[in-house]
Amino acid sequence: MTNVKPIPTAHINCQLFYVSEAQAGQVENLKALIAEHSLPIILDIELFPEKLNQKRRQQLSETSTQPILLLDEKNKLSWLSDGLSVAPEWDKLQRRVVSAGRKSELLLQAAKITSDSTVIDATAGFGHDSLILASTGAQVTMLEQQPLMALLLLAEQQRMSALPNWQKLMSRLQIINTDALSYFAKLQADAIDGIKENDAKVVDIIYLDPMFPEDSYQDSKTGKGAKVGKHMQALHQLARPPTLEQEKQLLQSAQAVVSQDGEKQGRVVVKRPQLAPLLANQQPSESWHNEAVRFDGYFV
Ligand SMILES: C[S@@+](CC[C@H](N)C(=O)[O-])C[C@H]1O[C@@H](n2cnc3c(N)ncnc32)[C@H](O)[C@@H]1O
């Protein structure tokens, strides 16, 4: 397995509020996840038994200068962003994941995954699309550059792994806190070594869903397009949309690492709001869309 060091970000100080003494063990689990994955996060931990109603949440996020994490009585870890608590909440996707197929999920039509595919979701975010990708039986490597997001994902994977119905799916996800560009560069270097040693590793599908300017989800004149949900609103506080140059780098380096052998045609699939311009102004091989989103497929 490719061993990629997390991006050398300055440490982020986060406040972690937990609601009862009974959660001390779970707080220790979070600390262990941070250490195990070398996440550059320092937790400032506080017991906060008060009821966290909306008004109190708003006050907390207005007064704190650090990101705030909340561990609720069900051990769900959320991030308090602008008074809204956001969390991956993978359990809420259960129905979608169970019935996911090429008919119901445009992403799966575009990605054409089989259970033996090697898939990278290079912009994992809250991991919702990763779950759909992994519902096919494929192993999915999830890359997330933001340490706070990576911690939310790792904590969610740990929480969901305790539920028998989710264990198989959870075991197919590998979460890595890294920048996709450095991960792809390492994969390419490994592939060159692999060819020399006759042991080249292949990636069949790379999925990209980079940030997009917040005001571009809807057409300003017609109002058509997607509404920005609370998860995306929160993400806009952490991550910026790439510049055109960064878009080009991302697409080119993804295309360089997907499989080019004859049997399996590798592809890069890019998610965009339906009305958005093409990533890096690059014409895709094929596109799929509904009224909200578009998936552009670049076949290699
Ligand atoms: C639009 S969100 C992805 C949402 C995701 N598809 C989901 O289902 O929740 C984009 C995410 O990709 C991450 N990201 C953007 N550029 C990245 C890069 N070069 N490497 C790794 N992660 C990146 C951002 O931090 C953000 O969390």
Side-chain angles (χ1 to χ4, degrees):
M1 190 46 65
T2 304
N3 184 17
V4 174
K5 291 251 178 299
I7 25 177
T9 330
H11 276 74
I12 308 169
N13 282 66
C14 278
Q15 267 185 303
L16 171 69
F17 293 119
Y18 64 107
V19 291
S20 88
E21 291 286 5
Q23 288 173 300
Q26 187 56 23
V27 171
E28 288 307 311
N29 285 343
L30 288 177
K31 289 204 274 188
L33 279 179
I34 291 173
E36 188 190 332
H37 294 267
S38 311
L39 300 180
I41 293 180
I42 297 171
L43 292 179
D44 186 356
I45 302 165
E46 210 177 304
L47 179 62
F48 197 85
E50 243 178 81
K51 185 109 186 90
L52 272 176
N53 57 21
Q54 187 49 38
K55 194 172 161 207
R56 198 72 188 92
R57 282 168 199 251
Q58 194 68 43
Q59 275 173 347
L60 275 177
S61 42
E62 277 164 15
T63 49
S64 176
T65 51
Q66 308 169 354
I68 300 175
L69 294 171
L70 304 173
L71 187 63
D72 73 10
E73 56 291 341
K74 291 188 180 147
N75 283 337
K76 187 178 79 184
L77 185 68
S78 338
W79 164 39
L80 193 60
S81 157
D82 260 351
L84 288 178
S85 36
V86 285
E89 296 185 301
W90 288 348
D91 34 357
K92 291 200 173 157
L93 269 79
Q94 176 151 356
R95 271 184 177 213
R96 221 179 119 194
V97 170
V98 168
S99 60
R102 290 190 191 173
K103 272 198 183 145
S104 63
E105 295 291 342
L106 216 50
L107 168 57
L108 297 183
Q109 274 180 46
K112 300 237 174 354
I113 298 175
T114 53
S115 57
D116 62 346
S117 302
T118 311
V119 183
I120 298 178
D121 179 350
T123 52
F126 286 95
H128 296 168
D129 291 329
S130 297
L131 292 191
I132 302 298
L133 295 166
S135 71
T136 56
Q139 304 282 332
V140 177
T141 303
M142 301 164 64
L143 312 181
E144 174 49 55
Q145 65 183 0
Q146 290 293 337
L148 189 70
M149 293 304 300
L151 177 60
L152 288 176
L153 290 171
L154 288 162
E156 188 69 350
Q157 186 186 32
Q158 195 175 62
R159 182 176 80 99
M160 299 299 286
S161 297
L163 308 177
N165 289 346
W166 285 82
Q167 274 163 0
K168 274 196 182 149
L169 187 72
M170 291 300 110
S171 68
R172 295 200 291 275
L173 303 177
Q174 190 199 8
I175 299 161
I176 307 177
N177 173 218
T178 185
D179 167 42
L181 286 179
S182 43
Y183 189 83
F184 293 157
K186 177 81 171 67
L187 275 186
Q188 256 196 310
D190 285 357
I192 292 166
D193 291 347
I195 290 166
K196 280 188 216 143
E197 288 157 29
N198 239 349
D199 177 33
K201 305 267 182 314
V202 289
V203 178
D204 303 308
I205 292 120
I206 293 184
Y207 176 58
L208 302 174
D209 176 15
M211 299 301 291
F212 201 78
E214 210 172 346
D215 58 3
S216 323
Y217 290 83
Q218 284 181 307
D219 185 291
S220 54
K221 288 191 192 120
T222 63
K224 280 189 182 162
K227 289 208 174 73
V228 185
K230 76 169 182 176
H231 286 97
M232 282 311 295
Q233 266 179 41
L235 269 179
H236 277 283
Q237 313 241 335
L238 273 189
R240 288 216 196 104
T243 60
L244 182 62
E245 197 42 49
Q246 289 167 333
E247 289 188 354
K248 283 184 186 160
Q249 276 188 347
L250 193 61
L251 187 55
Q252 273 171 13
S253 51
Q255 285 174 309
V257 290
V258 287
S259 136
Q260 303 188 17
D261 75 31
E263 274 174 50
K264 277 191 183 177
Q265 185 187 40
R267 58 178 63 193
V268 178
V269 176
V270 179
K271 184 180 186 180
R272 310 294 277 162
Q274 211 271 89
L275 302 164
L278 296 166
L279 187 75
N281 289 330
Q282 284 275 327
Q283 204 59 44
S285 318
E286 196 172 339
S287 285
W288 295 258
H289 73 89
N290 58 27
E291 58 291 345
V293 287
R294 195 179 78 231
F295 294 98
D296 294 331
Y298 298 82
F299 309 154
V300 174

